Amino acid sequence: EPEVTQTPSHQVTQMGQEVILRCVPISNHLYFYWYRQILGQKVEFLVSFYNNEISEKSEIFDDQFSVERPDGSNFTLKIRSTKLEDSAMYFCASSELANLGGNTIYFGEGSWLTVV
Amino acid sequence: KQEVTQIPAALSVPEGENLVLNCSFTDSAIYNLQWFRQDPGKGLTSLLLIQSSQREQTSGRLNASLDKSSGRSTLYIAASQPGDSATYLCAVEGTGGFKTIFGAGTRLFVKA
């Protein structure tokens, strides 16, 4: 079964450093998303991306965050200057179409980011 | 602003028991509701998706219902097994945008 793949599975970084999390969405999917889950808390929406631009972003997704689809297969989340509170599991997801009805969102296994 | 609540927060049952997990949401303007399973330290696995026009969906021992007008969904698990032990998340896709809003989940433990 097709799946969303994410790398790295775990990254430890120093506060203030830049981090890039990578994702390969399912190949025929057109909508891409990043979510995060701080330990013990809810899964939170960060950003959605379609047709090479951001469709929607949450208040969490401030200027330190950016997303990019650098080629036909990868979708990246960059955190410019990490803070301790950025420590979380980051999930990439994709869907064939927007959820205007019945399109399942498929999630990757997550990238666990620890900022020290 | 859409809020999703799941009750109970945790549940421990003996193997073989039928059980119901509850989800409620505050804004009935949704496109769909999706139930996910999350194992510790792992990603989210989609279990069932119910479109706003549907009342229920079934997959194997799982049955999910949706009452959009009252803002409720239930996930019914029949004949529970130890392998069902996981956190079950309810999530709704609102009509206002491209994001899915999650509940905090119900942590299920099925004892052998």
Side-chain angles (χ1 to χ4, degrees), chain A residues 32-51:
Chain A
F32 315 116
Y33 314 84
W34 284 101
Y35 288 77
R36 78 171 185 190
Q37 186 177 32
I38 295 171
L39 189 64
Q41 297 187 22
K42 289 185 180 184
V43 176
E44 301 173 290
F45 170 80
L46 291 178
V47 67
S48 60
F49 190 86
Y50 168 71
N51 200 26

Side-chain angles (χ1 to χ4, degrees), chain A residues 12-81:
Chain A
V12 180
T13 190
Q14 297 257 337
M15 192 168 55
Q17 294 295 304
E18 176 181 285
V19 161
I20 297 177
L21 305 179
R22 293 182 167 81
C23 169
V24 179
I26 295 172
S27 62
N28 64 329
H29 285 188
L30 300 177
Y31 288 82
F32 315 116
Y33 314 84
W34 284 101
Y35 288 77
R36 78 171 185 190
Q37 186 177 32
I38 295 171
L39 189 64
Q41 297 187 22
K42 289 185 180 184
V43 176
E44 301 173 290
F45 170 80
L46 291 178
V47 67
S48 60
F49 190 86
Y50 168 71
N51 200 26
N52 283 320
E53 61 182 29
I54 290 173
S55 308
E56 187 171 1
K57 60 183 181 180
S58 71
E59 59 274 11
I60 302 168
F61 194 88
D62 60 23
D63 291 344
Q64 70 163 332
F65 292 94
S66 62
V67 289
E68 193 178 31
R69 187 152 164 84
D71 53 44
S73 60
N74 291 285
F75 180 51
T76 62
L77 174 69
K78 182 190 292 186
I79 309 175
R80 245 179 288 282
S81 177

Side-chain angles (χ1 to χ4, degrees), chain B residues 20-25 30 33-35 48-51 54-58 62-68 70-76 90:
Chain B
V20 174
L21 308 182
N22 296 292
C23 171
S24 62
F25 47 95
I30 64 169
L33 183 145
Q34 201 162 342
W35 282 93
L48 290 164
L49 179 142
I50 312 176
Q51 297 182 41
Q54 297 174 324
R55 299 284 294 186
E56 65 178 322
Q57 283 287 336
T58 298
L62 305 180
N63 176 276
S65 68
L66 173 64
D67 184 344
K68 202 173 76 155
S70 67
R72 294 179 192 219
S73 175
T74 60
L75 178 67
Y76 176 82
C90 167

Side-chain angles (χ1 to χ4, degrees), chain A residues 97-112:
Chain A
L97 298 170
N99 272 5
L100 303 177
N103 290 290
T104 300
I105 293 182
Y106 295 88
F107 282 78
E109 287 288 302
S111 292
W112 182 249

Side-chain angles (χ1 to χ4, degrees), chain B residues 17-103:
Chain B
E17 194 160 297
N18 301 325
L19 54 100
V20 174
L21 308 182
N22 296 292
C23 171
S24 62
F25 47 95
T26 54
D27 185 351
S28 61
I30 64 169
Y31 279 126
N32 61 54
L33 183 145
Q34 201 162 342
W35 282 93
F36 293 88
R37 171 184 171 137
Q38 185 177 30
D39 292 288
K42 297 289 188 180
L44 308 174
T45 301
S46 178
L47 298 172
L48 290 164
L49 179 142
I50 312 176
Q51 297 182 41
S52 62
S53 59
Q54 297 174 324
R55 299 284 294 186
E56 65 178 322
Q57 283 287 336
T58 298
S59 176
R61 294 182 294 107
L62 305 180
N63 176 276
S65 68
L66 173 64
D67 184 344
K68 202 173 76 155
S69 60
S70 67
R72 294 179 192 219
S73 175
T74 60
L75 178 67
Y76 176 82
I77 303 177
S80 57
Q81 303 170 357
D84 295 331
S85 298
T87 296
Y88 290 81
L89 300 173
C90 167
V92 297
E93 174 79 11
T95 57
F98 294 90
K99 61 185 175 187
T100 296
I101 305 299
F102 283 80

Side-chain angles (χ1 to χ4, degrees), chain B residues 5-12 20-23 88 104-108:
Chain B
T5 303
Q6 292 188 246
I7 294 172
L11 185 62
S12 180
V20 174
L21 308 182
N22 296 292
C23 171
Y88 290 81
T106 293
R107 195 181 314 168
L108 173 65

